[in-house]
Amino acid sequence: MAPTLSITPPDALIDVPRHIRVEHVAPGQTVEITALTRRNGVLWQSHAAYAAGEDGSVDLTRDAPVSGDYAGLSPMGLVWSQSPVDPPSRELFNHPVAEPLVTEVIVRAAGAQARASFVQRLAADGVTRQDVREEGLVGTLYLPPGPGPHPAVMILNGSGGGINEPRAALYASRGYAAFALAYFKAPGLSDYISNTPLEYFQTGLRWLRKKVRPLHDFVAVSGQSRGGELVLLLGATFPDEVSAVVAYVPGAVVHSAQNACDPRLGREGPTWLLGGKPLPHVWENNRTATWAPFDEGPAPHRHERAILTALRDPDAVARARIKVENIRGPVMLLSATDDGSWPSSLYSRMVRDKLEEVRHPYPVRWLDYQNGGHAILFPYVPTTQLVYAHPVSGKISTSGGNPRDNARADEESWEGVREFLDAAVKARAGGAQAAPAGHAAG
């Protein structure tokens, strides 16, 4: 009896879970399943063995593996548990939007085989892409199918720089005009985060409004890591121009340039400028801060250990704190308790507590993932690469967490963000006539 393999849906967006099922095997039979995916030129693989049920099937929505690269029930475990076949590879998710990801699944049972594949897409049919090189801006605009108008979101990367096209494409696939804006390490921009003017992002917000005429004048900002720090800062600095804030693993204080610094200025040099002047940052005149726990600590190095030393100086923290009470819109915080890059859980609590203290009149949602790490992305991508080389400094460190809890954060965070933004747009519609967003001078 030859096994049969079904995968449904066979072709869909990357955030859609797949139902993987093997039939026509003997009850109790060991069934081995291998999943192979080539991402940006790197081959990733996972493998697990299962015991067929009494009905002669293995159903990944029902059955946990008896051995393999993941444990416990997880319908998409064969995806998030994949690792590069070449062990030295330190590849995080980075894949061209236009190229669908194709995963081949191979089933072996009692000497017989079955094969099938499924396709994960970052952009839905009808989503359009446009390079943006206007008004000094460097980015990419993705628009949903149909004439609109659509609510809008501006997407900002972290200390790796560049243009976050995958997230923008996925936002557009779910109904948002999505502007992925680079601010360093992209064509025509600095290679470093040092001395980045906040007015650049205000220009981006105004350009996006002018370009897409968003539904209900709704423009959210979404950023991760240094981008999470940045979107809170933008909401606080330009409150009339930011309709909602989505802060992935954010900082609650302004930081120095750190690992993305211009070497001539150093990692304790400034990151953000406003009116041509550096914003005070937490490392500045700090009585307790030291890089030693990161530089000299045990491998894998945790950047978070150095950041915690800086947070022991309450005066420095107070000087550098982002004035989130100035934000005039809903705020969403996503963090993890084992964040190896910086203490995003502590930072999110600081933001939440301040907003509670001032009785922030808009919704505040905080998702904090136990045992998760810094790399919260979106669903159904590999989460096994915990140690990586920083794309600017080259320093080797860990983002923290573990594959299973990181996968849970990927899945639940994206669902949470979509619910949060949908609710924010609806709330905006209810008050759009009474309180339209202004275009105040920065």
Side-chain angles (χ1 to χ4, degrees), residues 63-270:
D63 301 321
V66 295
S67 64
D69 291 325
Y70 76 97
L73 183 62
S74 179
M76 293 291 279
L78 286 170
V79 172
W80 61 254
S81 67
Q82 286 185 323
S83 297
V85 172
D86 179 16
S89 176
R90 287 198 173 100
E91 294 288 330
L92 297 176
F93 182 84
N94 181 21
H95 193 80
V97 169
E99 297 179 15
L101 289 157
V102 180
T103 297
E104 183 180 18
V105 180
I106 305 168
V107 172
R108 297 179 178 88
Q113 286 191 12
R115 293 174 179 253
S117 63
F118 63 91
V119 176
Q120 293 174 296
R121 298 185 185 273
L122 287 160
D125 287 345
V127 167
T128 60
R129 177 191 182 279
Q130 176 188 334
D131 287 326
V132 177
R133 304 291 187 271
E134 300 177 25
E135 299 183 30
L137 303 171
V138 178
T140 309
L141 177 66
Y142 283 87
L143 295 176
H150 307 284
V153 59
M154 189 166 79
I155 300 104
L156 301 166
N157 250 347
S159 65
I163 305 172
N164 193 337
E165 294 203 29
R167 196 183 292 277
L170 200 53
Y171 270 125
S173 299
R174 296 306 183 186
Y176 291 83
F179 181 30
L181 178 63
Y183 53 103
F184 74 104
K185 210 178 179 193
L189 299 178
S190 170
D191 288 334
Y192 308 106
I193 201 172
S194 303
N195 289 333
T196 300
L198 294 185
E199 289 88 350
Y200 173 81
F201 305 100
Q202 185 181 40
T203 299
L205 289 165
R206 292 177 173 179
W207 178 89
L208 181 56
R209 275 198 166 88
K210 181 172 60 177
K211 176 69 176 179
V212 306
R213 302 293 179 186
L215 181 68
H216 310 309
D217 201 38
F218 182 93
V219 178
V221 287
S222 171
Q224 61 197 62
S225 191
R226 293 310 301 264
E229 169 191 333
L230 176 57
V231 294
L232 290 170
L233 191 56
L234 294 178
T237 307
F238 308 116
D240 291 330
E241 307 201 43
V242 174
S243 306
V245 174
V246 178
Y248 282 85
V249 289
V253 297
V254 173
H255 293 84
S256 64
Q258 301 185 158
N259 282 322
C261 71
D262 183 334
R264 296 171 298 179
L265 302 176
R267 58 183 166 179
E268 295 179 23

Side-chain angles (χ1 to χ4, degrees), residues 251-385:
V253 297
V254 173
H255 293 84
S256 64
Q258 301 185 158
N259 282 322
C261 71
D262 183 334
R264 296 171 298 179
L265 302 176
R267 58 183 166 179
E268 295 179 23
T271 301
W272 315 116
L273 306 178
L274 184 62
K277 298 179 180 179
L279 296 185
H281 61 75
V282 74
W283 220 268
E284 194 173 5
N285 300 317
N286 193 301
R287 296 167 295 188
T288 60
T290 172
W291 295 108
F294 171 55
D295 293 341
E296 303 167 13
H301 296 275
R302 291 179 67 98
H303 194 258
E304 164 244 9
R305 291 176 178 143
I307 299 299
L308 288 172
T309 70
L311 300 183
R312 294 177 192 144
D313 184 341
D315 294 333
V317 170
R319 289 192 298 269
R321 186 183 68 81
I322 298 170
K323 305 301 190 289
V324 294
E325 60 271 26
N326 293 337
I327 296 172
R328 289 205 284 272
V331 176
M332 182 160 198
L333 307 161
L334 303 116
S335 60
T337 64
D338 190 39
D339 190 326
S341 297
W342 64 18
S344 62
S345 183
L346 171 61
Y347 279 150
S348 294
R349 180 177 292 107
M350 289 169 62
V351 172
R352 190 276 312 270
D353 289 352
K354 173 55 70 173
L355 293 175
E356 283 189 349
E357 176 189 323
V358 301
R359 297 185 179 180
H360 189 64
Y362 303 91
V364 177
R365 188 174 185 195
W366 177 24
L367 298 180
D368 191 33
Y369 292 100
Q370 294 298 309
N371 304 314
H374 192 70
I376 302 178
L377 194 62
F378 43 71
Y380 314 134
V381 297
T383 56
T384 55
Q385 298 302 87

